[in-house]
């Protein structure tokens, strides 16, 4: 069981917006601004999409945005495209044990 | 251009020790702020963070695997080595190394990963 909770799957049609949630505790997501989001296509390495809750690395589309409220972080993808279909993982620093924890991952399907 | 590449055995027997090497380029682990982590992913499952080594040789480990893991670096060859003792079939996974990013706990560049199967 992963330390951070994500929905197993979400879906949306091209052009729509979707949001993926990542719920933790005050020892991780809620207590620190160290939430990251990764995109992983089948058979590929993860790719950093968001760091420090809401920052986009150079080269990442501005269709991807991150936010946080309390113990829940969110990744929003606007203007869905077929290429966005992938698995998405959140991660956070945690003070409780292992320094970094991941979520269980969310499979995004573009209908 | 930052690149990382993992290398090591594709198959190990139960109880054996796994040694993985991450060879990187485009940055130096002797530069202040640089970090390299190891992460694994069992087939069809989620990512699991394993260990990290920083530019100042500070090391961090997964609490659940701490007794089995050792991470080290060789700045002269741009390599980070992870050893995991007493391998078990449940350790079958793709093992990735990744560079620490600007956010302190994010991973901005990843290797392609190497699949390690534990079987007799």
């Amino acid at each position: 069981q992963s330390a951070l909770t994500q929905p197993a799957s979400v879906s949306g049609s091209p052009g729509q917006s979707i949001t993926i949630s990542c719920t933790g505790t005050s020892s991780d997501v809620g207590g620190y601004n160290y939430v990251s989001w990764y995109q992983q296509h089948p058979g590929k390495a993860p790719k950093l999409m968001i760091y420090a809750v809401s920052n986009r690395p150079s080269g990442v589309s501005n269709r991807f945005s991150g936010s946080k409220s309390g113990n829940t972080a969110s990744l929003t993808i606007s203007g869905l495209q077929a290429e966005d279909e992938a698995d998405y993982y959140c991660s956070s620093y945690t003070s409780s044990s292992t320094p970094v924890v991941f979520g269980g991952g969310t499979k995004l399907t573009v209908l | 251009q930052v690149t990382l590449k993992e290398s090591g055995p594709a198959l190990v027997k139960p109880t054996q020790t796994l040694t993985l090497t991450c060879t990187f380029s485009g940055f130096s682990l002797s530069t202040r702020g640089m970090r390299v982590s190891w992460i694994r992913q069992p087939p069809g499952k989620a990512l699991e963070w394993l260990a990290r080594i920083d530019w100042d040789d500070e090391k961090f480990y997964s609490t659940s695997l701490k007794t089995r893991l050792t991470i080290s670096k060789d700045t002269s060859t741009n390599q980070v080595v992870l050893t995991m003792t007493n391998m078990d079939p449940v350790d079958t996974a793709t093992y990735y190394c990744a560079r620490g990013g600007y956010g302190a706990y994010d991973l901005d560049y990843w290797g392609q990963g190497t699949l390690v199967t534990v079987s007799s």
Side-chain angles (χ1 to χ4, degrees), chain A residues 4 22 24-36 51-54 67-73 91-99 101, chain B residues 103-105:
Chain A
L4 305 180
C22 171
T25 68
S26 58
S27 296
D28 39 65
V29 173
Y32 307 90
N33 290 324
Y34 290 133
V35 176
S36 303
Y51 68 94
V53 177
S54 59
S67 62
K68 189 183 82 167
S69 177
N71 295 337
T72 298
S91 76
S92 174
Y93 168 78
T94 173
S95 62
S96 60
S97 55
T98 297
V101 289
Chain B
Y105 293 95

Side-chain angles (χ1 to χ4, degrees), chain A:
Chain A
Q1 185 176 355
S2 302
L4 305 180
T5 301
Q6 298 181 234
S9 62
V10 299
S11 63
S13 299
Q16 288 186 332
S17 293
I18 63 94
T19 297
I20 299 172
S21 61
C22 171
T23 301
T25 68
S26 58
S27 296
D28 39 65
V29 173
Y32 307 90
N33 290 324
Y34 290 133
V35 176
S36 303
W37 289 91
Y38 301 89
Q39 175 192 65
Q40 186 179 35
H41 288 109
K44 301 294 187 182
K47 175 186 176 183
L48 179 66
M49 306 303 284
I50 297 287
Y51 68 94
V53 177
S54 59
N55 294 274
R56 273 189 314 275
S58 174
V60 172
S61 170
N62 60 8
R63 298 186 298 105
F64 291 83
S65 62
S67 62
K68 189 183 82 167
S69 177
N71 295 337
T72 298
S74 299
L75 173 71
T76 298
I77 309 174
S78 59
L80 266 182
Q81 300 179 359
E83 67 206 49
D84 299 332
E85 186 162 292
D87 293 327
Y88 291 85
Y89 292 91
C90 63
S91 76
S92 174
Y93 168 78
T94 173
S95 62
S96 60
S97 55
T98 297
V100 175
V101 289
F102 283 96
T106 298
K107 181 176 180 60
L108 169 62
T109 300
V110 180
L111 302 170

Side-chain angles (χ1 to χ4, degrees), chain B residues 62-78:
Chain B
S62 162
T63 301
S64 62
L65 294 168
K66 184 170 186 172
T67 60
R68 299 173 54 205
L69 294 174
T70 303
I71 192 169
S72 62
K73 63 181 173 70
D74 185 337
T75 53
S76 66
T77 59
N78 283 349

Side-chain angles (χ1 to χ4, degrees), chain B residues 29-82:
Chain B
L29 246 186
S30 57
T31 300
R32 183 179 183 85
M34 287 296 137
R35 309 171 296 276
V36 171
S37 295
W38 284 93
I39 306 95
R40 71 178 180 180
Q41 185 174 37
K45 296 188 177 180
L47 300 167
E48 179 183 15
W49 187 91
L50 298 177
R52 189 181 99 182
I53 190 165
D54 293 357
W55 81 99
D56 58 359
D57 211 38
E58 190 163 10
K59 301 163 187 173
F60 304 86
Y61 294 100
S62 162
T63 301
S64 62
L65 294 168
K66 184 170 186 172
T67 60
R68 299 173 54 205
L69 294 174
T70 303
I71 192 169
S72 62
K73 63 181 173 70
D74 185 337
T75 53
S76 66
T77 59
N78 283 349
Q79 292 181 326
V80 171
V81 174
L82 181 76

